[in-house]
Amino acid sequence: METTLRGVGVSHGVAIGEVRHMGTAVLEPPAKRITADEAEREQGRARKAVEAVSADLIARGQLAGGEAQHVLEAQAMIATDPELMADVDRRIAVGSTAERGIYDAFASYRDLLAGAGEYMAGRVADLDDVRNRIVARLLGVPMPGVPDSDEPYVLIARDLAPADTALLDPTLVLGFVTEEGGPTSHSAILARALGVPAIVALPGACEIAEGTVIAVDGSTGDLFVEPSDEKRAELEAAAAERKAALAAASGPGATSDGHKVPLLANVGGPADVPAAVEAGAEGVGLFRTEFLFLDDSKKAPSEEKQTESYRKVLEAFPEGRVVVRVLDAGADKPLDFLTPADEPNPALGVRGLRSLLDHPDVLRTQLTALAKAAEGLPVYLEVMAPMVADRTDAKAFADACRAAGLKAKFGAMVEIPSAALRARSILQEVEFLSLGTNDLAQYAFAADRQVGAVSRLQDPWQPALLDLIAMSADAARAEGKSCGVCGEAASDPLLACVLTGLGVTSLSMGAASIPYVRATLAKYTLAQCERAAAAARACDSAEEARVAAQAVLSGE
């Protein structure tokens, strides 16, 4: 009998197939004791297992490339954390086996992260995956992970570790569903990059029996258990219609009456560029530069290395717009040379621009490298600072850009509610705004973006978030400047129309979403988008806002 479950759709498309569950997590190793004579041998076993898992994660990242590579390299750093390994050695020295020492040390570290205001919840999931991989290697049992199958299937898991998501084979994994996670979790971001339909934060998903036929609609978040023939036909027809619309849409982003809305790509480095170019991106709206800094958490990369990497991205978009975000470290992206180790709540501490202003040499080197990378190129370079709180922050960043001789537009990201409330003041110092809707929602609703239990508050359709976006766009319009969106909200085609109606001047997203957004925008006039935006803001919940906007655009 057909039943319907509802989660959070995070990656467009429809998948129909049999359920396969993620491999079982490693069992807790026995509390076996060793003698003092065996301690050195066990410590060696632990180190070898850690090194092997770290190397495997790095290799997986190199194979996957792009956003996945950055996430997996960060996981490899977790595996080899010196303090964590020192704790493992101590536990083995007093009688634990290698596997038990690893298990207990990671559990202790996990408790520390979970107690840090839960902002680090996303890293807790990554930590569990690293622990399981090390323990599995020590026990000589199969690694937890994606099941082996010769036939295509829909994958269900409590959560998906980046190491698993990164190497999913889209020819076999038709789509995936998780009980946990949120719309801005690592799994959601990687799913969009892969173009695999996905639903997260769906309670009870793991209770669906292996082999059950399900249909996943990654656009709506609906999961249909044992769908009827009629439902299958309806979903397949909708998917075919979307595919035809994608094929018909091409060229620059614009509404049906010619209002231009540049569609840009979010990239993490040179590896992401080919997909962006293929999708017809008109430039880059968010160039995350963190990937360069993950190679060595002890020191920043050289000016030469940064210049070389930045130039590769800039060269891919001749006469296009490339917006670079300077290093955004801290909170869930700590770097030893930059991030305080003893912050009680890293999410509300020294992160983003605050870290860079505390380490002006790091900021100066990055800005100088960007200036050199752009020399002689016709690209329109724009550079923006993360986590800008007020006009003082904006002025400090603009002054640093000028001091570095950077010939580019300087901008500020709006990720803190104070920046939206005082956007016009900030625009006295910079030339554009870029809305990071993931963090803006997190701080506006006090809702960790990695915690599935609060995913409804991370929904970019929340009317309060739309109000903050409108406030920023109105300020930019009043100052004759631009205001783009580079958060995950831009990847929702329907919401892209609403953002356009709110006055947003450009949209940046993962490359896989660009064709969907281009095709949907081309169906509606600017006036329709403005009416849909007004209808959404008049609502009191995210679901009501989505329905109201859809009704306006459908002419209901």
Side-chain angles (χ1 to χ4, degrees), residues 156-227:
I156 290 184
R158 186 162 300 283
D159 202 356
L160 277 171
D164 296 318
T165 317
L167 295 182
L168 289 178
D169 182 352
T171 63
L172 284 176
V173 181
L174 303 172
F176 68 76
V177 181
T178 66
E179 282 203 6
E180 299 178 357
T184 59
S185 66
H186 283 153
S187 294
I189 292 170
L190 293 177
R192 285 188 284 272
L194 287 166
V196 176
I199 298 174
V200 301
L202 195 154
C206 291
E207 297 171 14
I208 302 173
E210 185 94 359
T212 303
V213 175
I214 62 172
V216 174
D217 190 332
S219 300
T220 65
D222 290 329
L223 183 151
F224 303 94
V225 180
E226 299 289 3

Side-chain angles (χ1 to χ4, degrees), residues 1 4 16 85 155 185 207 274 373 380 398 477 489:
M1 178 179 176
T4 304
I16 302 174
M85 286 311 301
L155 180 64
S185 66
E207 297 171 14
Y380 295 96
R477 185 187 300 113

Side-chain angles (χ1 to χ4, degrees), residues 31-42:
K32 179 183 174 182
R33 308 300 291 175
I34 61 170
T35 65
D37 294 341
E38 297 173 300
E40 187 174 346
R41 182 199 67 195
E42 290 297 290

Side-chain angles (χ1 to χ4, degrees), residues 64-83:
E67 183 72 35
Q69 183 172 2
H70 319 148
V71 174
L72 293 177
E73 286 175 347
Q75 268 198 296
M77 288 169 58
I78 293 174
T80 56
D81 182 88
E83 291 186 18

Side-chain angles (χ1 to χ4, degrees), residues 51-366:
E51 289 166 2
V53 167
S54 177
D56 177 62
L57 290 169
I58 290 171
R60 284 169 177 259
Q62 290 172 341
L63 282 173
E67 183 72 35
Q69 183 172 2
H70 319 148
V71 174
L72 293 177
E73 286 175 347
Q75 268 198 296
M77 288 169 58
I78 293 174
T80 56
D81 182 88
E83 291 186 18
L84 192 55
M85 286 311 301
D87 189 19
V88 171
D89 283 342
R90 284 193 295 270
R91 292 173 186 275
I92 294 174
V94 295
S96 290
T97 60
E99 44 266 55
R100 189 72 211 188
I102 290 286
Y103 188 90
D104 289 341
F106 271 73
S108 178
Y109 193 29
R110 189 187 200 282
D111 291 342
L112 286 174
L113 291 183
E118 288 202 70
Y119 184 81
M120 307 295 273
R123 286 176 61 80
V124 165
D126 293 353
L127 190 72
D128 289 345
D129 180 59
V130 172
R131 177 204 64 199
N132 290 346
R133 291 174 183 279
I134 298 171
V135 172
R137 184 171 289 275
L138 286 165
L139 292 175
V141 300
M143 291 283 179
V146 178
D148 291 328
S149 176
D150 295 329
E151 298 296 325
Y153 60 92
V154 178
L155 180 64
I156 290 184
R158 186 162 300 283
D159 202 356
L160 277 171
D164 296 318
T165 317
L167 295 182
L168 289 178
D169 182 352
T171 63
L172 284 176
V173 181
L174 303 172
F176 68 76
V177 181
T178 66
E179 282 203 6
E180 299 178 357
T184 59
S185 66
H186 283 153
S187 294
I189 292 170
L190 293 177
R192 285 188 284 272
L194 287 166
V196 176
I199 298 174
V200 301
L202 195 154
C206 291
E207 297 171 14
I208 302 173
E210 185 94 359
T212 303
V213 175
I214 62 172
V216 174
D217 190 332
S219 300
T220 65
D222 290 329
L223 183 151
F224 303 94
V225 180
E226 299 289 3
S228 64
D229 291 342
E230 291 78 13
K231 177 57 68 176
R232 285 192 187 208
E234 176 187 327
L235 291 170
E236 288 169 350
E241 183 180 340
R242 281 197 289 261
K243 187 175 181 179
L246 293 181
S250 61
T255 58
S256 62
D257 56 341
H259 175 72
K260 293 182 178 180
V261 187
L263 302 181
L264 312 171
N266 293 343
V267 304
D272 292 339
V273 168
V277 173
E278 184 179 352
E282 297 167 61
V284 172
L286 173 62
F287 178 7
R288 305 180 183 93
T289 56
E290 288 75 45
F291 79 102
L292 271 176
F293 293 79
L294 293 174
D295 290 341
D296 185 349
S297 68
K298 304 297 182 185
K299 65 179 187 299
S302 68
E303 181 183 305
E304 293 74 20
K305 182 176 181 180
Q306 291 189 55
T307 300
E308 179 184 0
S309 185
Y310 300 152
R311 193 170 179 90
K312 288 178 182 177
V313 175
L314 298 179
E315 286 175 337
F317 295 94
E319 300 185 8
R321 178 186 179 201
V322 176
V323 184
V324 180
R325 181 180 70 190
V326 294
L327 176 63
D328 183 15
D332 62 340
K333 293 174 285 189
L335 292 170
D336 292 347
F337 66 89
L338 203 66
T339 309
D342 56 353
E343 286 189 303
N345 189 341
L348 301 179
V350 181
R351 65 166 291 196
L353 180 61
R354 298 168 187 174
S355 293
L356 294 175
L357 294 178
D358 280 352
H359 297 80
D361 54 324
V362 176
L363 177 58
R364 183 167 50 251
T365 298
Q366 185 169 26

